[in-house]
Amino acid sequence: MVAPPLIAVPHWRAPTWERTKFYYDALEAAGAGYAIVEGEVLPGDADGLLLTGGVDVAPRLYGQERSPLTDRPNRKRDEHELRLLRRALDRDIPVLCICRGHELLNVALGGSLVQHIDGDGHRWHDDGTSNWHEVTVDVGGRLADVYGSGAILRVNSRHHQGVTEERLAPSLRASASSFDGYVEAMESAQHRWVVGIQWHPERPEAELDDAVRQHWTASAGSIWRAFVFAVSE
């Protein structure tokens, strides 16, 4: 019997507005196993790496002072995940980076972040439910392989920071953008399969009605299946 591919997931307690279990459930539903990584070493048998959501990345890592609207950073988490990410990139194993992970990927490769996006189009609501908006998938690239070039996706927003084209790391290319100019997905041009997405495909989004939830689940599941397919190749 062939064992499922193994995804390394750095272990950091999720903030109250996130649920770590959602990520594990999504990986298993797509046919992968996972290894929770607490130490400094990326497991040698890891077939891929997943970076999850959480508190803001420390602005000092991209040469800025912290805005009053930016979370107090978790320096240990930043350092831990950066080490694991760089080792995964060196090994050229597939990497999927979600929300904070998307932002950390950009910083790790020399980009920077908008520390606070004005307005509420990207933040979650006060009651903890997600905000929603549309993103357009760019022509070519990994997301176009999953959803189709030019596809318009309705995604859940649970962040207040972001990446713009001007702040995008040199080795990354945008693969989906929002109506207000933020890079909602990106990928490495120098690695086999490295993708960052700003939204949260792991969330079941229980506040949606049945019809919308079914559509969302199918759409969100597609990126997990693409990730697991990549680690299985």
Side-chain angles (χ1 to χ4, degrees):
M1 183 176 179
V2 179
L6 187 69
I7 308 300
V9 187
H11 176 66
W12 288 97
R13 187 175 181 178
T16 55
W17 63 87
E18 301 300 348
R19 295 291 181 270
T20 305
K21 183 177 182 295
F22 291 163
Y23 297 100
Y24 305 150
D25 289 349
L27 286 171
E28 290 184 329
Y34 60 89
I36 300 171
V37 183
E38 298 188 36
E40 300 301 313
V41 179
L42 185 69
D45 58 349
D47 301 299
L49 174 68
L50 171 67
L51 296 183
T52 65
V55 297
D56 298 336
V57 177
R60 67 177 179 81
L61 294 174
Y62 48 94
Q64 293 184 12
E65 295 293 324
R66 181 166 70 94
S67 161
L69 297 172
T70 295
D71 297 336
R72 185 175 297 279
N74 184 332
R75 180 172 294 185
K76 289 185 177 179
R77 179 172 183 178
D78 286 339
E79 292 173 350
H80 182 229
E81 293 188 344
L82 280 170
R83 278 193 288 271
L84 295 177
L85 174 59
R86 285 168 176 151
R87 286 166 183 161
L89 295 176
D90 286 344
R91 283 174 51 186
D92 200 16
I93 60 175
V95 181
L96 177 61
C97 304
I98 294 173
C99 197
R100 166 194 155 88
H102 167 89
E103 295 161 6
L104 186 68
L105 173 64
N106 191 53
V107 170
L109 294 178
S112 63
L113 304 176
V114 175
Q115 288 197 47
H116 184 73
I117 301 171
D118 290 332
D120 63 356
H122 295 267
R123 287 191 70 90
W124 58 96
H125 298 295
D126 290 341
D127 64 0
T129 58
S130 297
N131 219 324
W132 293 81
H133 66 88
E134 292 181 343
V135 304
T136 302
V137 176
D138 290 359
V139 175
R142 298 296 183 185
L143 253 65
D145 292 341
V146 177
Y147 300 109
S149 294
I152 297 176
L153 309 178
R154 189 159 179 80
V155 301
N156 51 356
S157 265
R158 303 184 63 81
H159 63 102
H160 76 112
Q161 299 193 318
V163 180
T164 60
E165 285 277 3
E166 295 76 19
R167 296 174 183 268
L168 193 62
S171 62
L172 295 173
R173 67 177 293 271
S175 50
S177 302
S178 61
F179 69 95
D180 50 356
Y182 287 91
V183 175
E184 292 281 336
M186 59 196 182
E187 61 190 64
S188 172
Q190 300 177 348
H191 297 89
R192 181 159 57 101
W193 200 98
V194 173
V195 173
I197 55 176
Q198 187 70 80
W199 63 91
H200 281 267
E202 81 286 356
R203 292 182 60 84
E205 296 297 1
E207 72 269 19
L208 302 178
D209 64 43
D210 287 341
V212 175
R213 188 186 301 111
Q214 289 176 8
H215 176 77
W216 165 246
T217 301
S219 174
S222 297
I223 190 64
W224 293 108
R225 290 190 294 273
F227 178 41
V228 172
F229 180 79
V231 301
S232 302
E233 286 186 315

